Amino acid sequence: MTTGTTTIRSVQWKGDHILLLDQQKLPHKTEFIKLTTIEDVWESIHSLKVRGAPAIGITAAFGLALWAKSFKGKENFLGFYYELEEKRSYLESSRPTAVNLAWALARLLKRFSGAATVEEGQSLLIEEARAIATEDERVCRSIGEHAAGLFSHGDAVLTHCNAGGIATARYGTALAPFYISKEKGVELKVYATETRPVLQGARLTVWELMQAGIDVTLITDNMAAHTIAEKNISAIIVGADRIAANGDTANKIGTRGLAILARAFNIPFYVASPLSTIDLAIETGNEIPIEERNSEEVTHLNGVEVAAKGVKVYNPAFDVTPNEYITAIITEKGILSGNYKEALAELK
Ligand code: MRU
């Protein structure tokens, strides 16, 4: 199938359940699973069945709405509120780095503050979760429109991890310009890093772009410098999990190394991100919590042990790229560069 765009919806609200694309099964199986409880939602986020900052936020919002819908004590408004706060913290604990998770849940709680009864609260929470998902599609499209203007027909661009349609409501962030360019007849060549340890590039980015008929070539992470030199890569574009007030950006582990390479090769390094990923409460990247995941992700490949048994493992899931390596941050409201502290504060 070559649609020229991204059509698959990775997170769908179905009223009494969430229909979730199981990203752990990709690319070999396109399998949707039904989430019926808040525990299902927590587990799906924690185990990367759904991943990517905006998609995590949308899923958590639907998760809280799902719990609210199933709340029974219609007369117990205070009890509902206390439990709502508890469930919000519970969902927030599923993954620490992507701020979209906390952002989406905070939005739901704010909307809930307008409720006077349990029933009213239930419908406001559902409405807000749906609004977050609908808005995200518009936001990503807009990021893609802005970012597409940075590339010209025939350009070869490198990306890392998966910041695509399945990591958002649609289009993605870093992959959005490839979809928008394709729609406009502008052909770009994408080089995708495989993204160890859990291969979001090899399993997800490549799968997504191939479905849309976009020219994509897979490389392993350690081929990046050679590929930039040999394949005339004109830019690197990545997504983000949390951007501090000064522009320091947390994204998938390996991003910082690519930013340093971009500087060495004198090519632009772009971060594509919705405003919902910007955390003005955090001054610099030093304060961003970095998730560390289990050692099997490093010692095993597809369930097969590849490392010497018993070895010590360090497995940070993200790193922080200092703002000075970032040529521009592309948001739904436009392209920022220079003094990020001022520009981000003005935009948010
Ligand atoms: O561990 P993951 O797969 O959730 O990490 C995802 C990333 O680092 C993405 O680049 C980021 O969330 C942006 S998704 C539009």
Side-chain angles (χ1 to χ4, degrees), residues 23 45 48 50-56 95 97-98 100 136 140 143 159-168 171-175 195 198-200 203-204 238-242 250-253 255 272-274 277 291 293 297 317-319:
Q23 297 192 35
I45 294 173
L48 311 185
V50 57
R51 30 69 48 205
I56 291 171
R95 286 193 85 188
T97 304
N100 303 61
D136 190 60
C140 289
I143 290 171
T159 190
H160 185 55
C161 192
N162 173 271
I166 58 172
T168 63
Y171 300 111
T173 57
L175 297 193
T195 318
V198 295
L199 304 174
Q200 289 94 332
R203 294 187 302 107
L204 310 176
V238 297
D241 288 87
R242 192 184 298 229
N251 191 52
K252 179 53 54 193
I253 189 74
T255 300
S273 158
T277 304
E291 176 183 14
R293 298 186 60 86
E297 287 185 352
F318 301 94
D319 59 24

